[in-house]
Amino acid sequence: MALLELNLGPLAPEHPVEIVVGIVLVLLLTWGCAKFIVPRFEDMYHERSEAVQGGIERAEKAQAEARAALEQYRAQLAGAREEAAKIREDAKSQGAQILTDMREQAAAEADRISARARLQISAEREQAVTELRTQIGGLATDLAGRIVGESLDDDARVSATVDRFIADLAKEPSVAERAATPRAVDPR
């Protein structure tokens, strides 16, 4: 009766049968928990573990897919950048070619205009020289006729005289050429 010696107060059993019934109830409660409650907890634990593990695996798989998509995106972006650079280079070369072609066309047009202008100037010069010869010839004939006091109507002789006079004038240096030529200084 060691139990009775302990002072348990209101918790002390009044009959020894209460101890046996208490032990049997504890064993029944333990058996019921082990049979019904613990398996449910374990099933729930396994379901949650699998859900968490599956979630982790799905997250890792999604992360791997995201990495692959990111790498693919970066590769496409790099390809697009290379293509854009190539398009820019092609545009620059085409622009340079267009400029070169336009310059060549402009130079050809300028040469054509210059050649036409030279031809026109040459024709006008020939026309002016012819008119001047005619006028100078007429003036020279009139002047010579007044000096001599006779009319010089022989066209062949007059024409030969005028041509010789103009040729002599053409051989003499012009005023600009004489001004450009250094003069000899008289040592006196």
Side-chain angles (χ1 to χ4, degrees):
M1 294 265 182
L3 288 175
L4 293 176
E5 292 176 14
L6 268 165
N7 186 9
L8 296 175
L11 294 177
E14 292 182 21
H15 300 291
V17 174
E18 289 178 3
I19 293 176
V20 173
V21 170
I23 291 174
V24 169
L25 284 176
V26 168
L27 287 176
L28 279 174
L29 187 61
T30 304
W31 176 81
C33 283
K35 181 77 175 167
F36 299 108
I37 296 175
V38 171
R40 287 287 291 152
F41 276 125
E42 286 185 10
D43 287 343
M44 287 174 48
Y45 173 75
H46 285 301
E47 286 174 8
R48 288 192 180 182
S49 299
E50 288 175 6
V52 169
Q53 187 64 28
I56 290 172
E57 289 173 0
R58 284 191 304 273
E60 288 174 352
K61 183 178 177 183
Q63 192 174 19
E65 289 175 359
R67 278 192 210 116
L70 179 62
E71 290 300 320
Q72 182 181 7
Y73 170 74
R74 286 181 180 166
Q76 287 176 349
L77 185 60
R81 285 181 180 156
E82 289 174 4
E83 187 175 343
K86 182 181 176 191
I87 289 171
R88 277 194 304 271
E89 290 300 318
D90 289 346
K92 284 180 185 177
S93 65
Q94 287 177 355
Q97 183 64 35
I98 289 170
L99 283 176
T100 303
D101 292 346
M102 291 182 77
R103 285 181 183 145
E104 289 174 358
Q105 288 176 357
E109 183 69 17
D111 290 343
R112 186 181 62 78
I113 290 171
S114 296
R116 189 183 322 148
R118 276 190 234 108
L119 286 174
Q120 186 176 359
I121 290 170
S122 176
E124 288 175 1
R125 190 173 130 242
E126 289 297 323
Q127 183 181 0
V129 166
T130 304
E131 287 177 11
L132 282 175
R133 281 186 180 194
T134 305
Q135 288 177 359
I136 290 174
L139 290 174
T141 306
D142 287 345
L143 183 60
R146 286 184 188 170
I147 292 173
V148 172
E150 299 181 18
S151 173
L152 301 172
D153 289 333
D154 185 12
D155 287 339
R157 273 187 17 200
V158 169
S159 177
T161 305
V162 167
D163 287 340
R164 191 179 32 161
F165 176 72
I166 290 175
D168 289 343
L169 281 177
K171 289 180 185 175
E172 288 186 27
S174 67
V175 175
E177 289 174 348
R178 279 186 259 159
T181 309
R183 295 182 184 163
V185 179
D186 194 14
R188 297 190 239 170

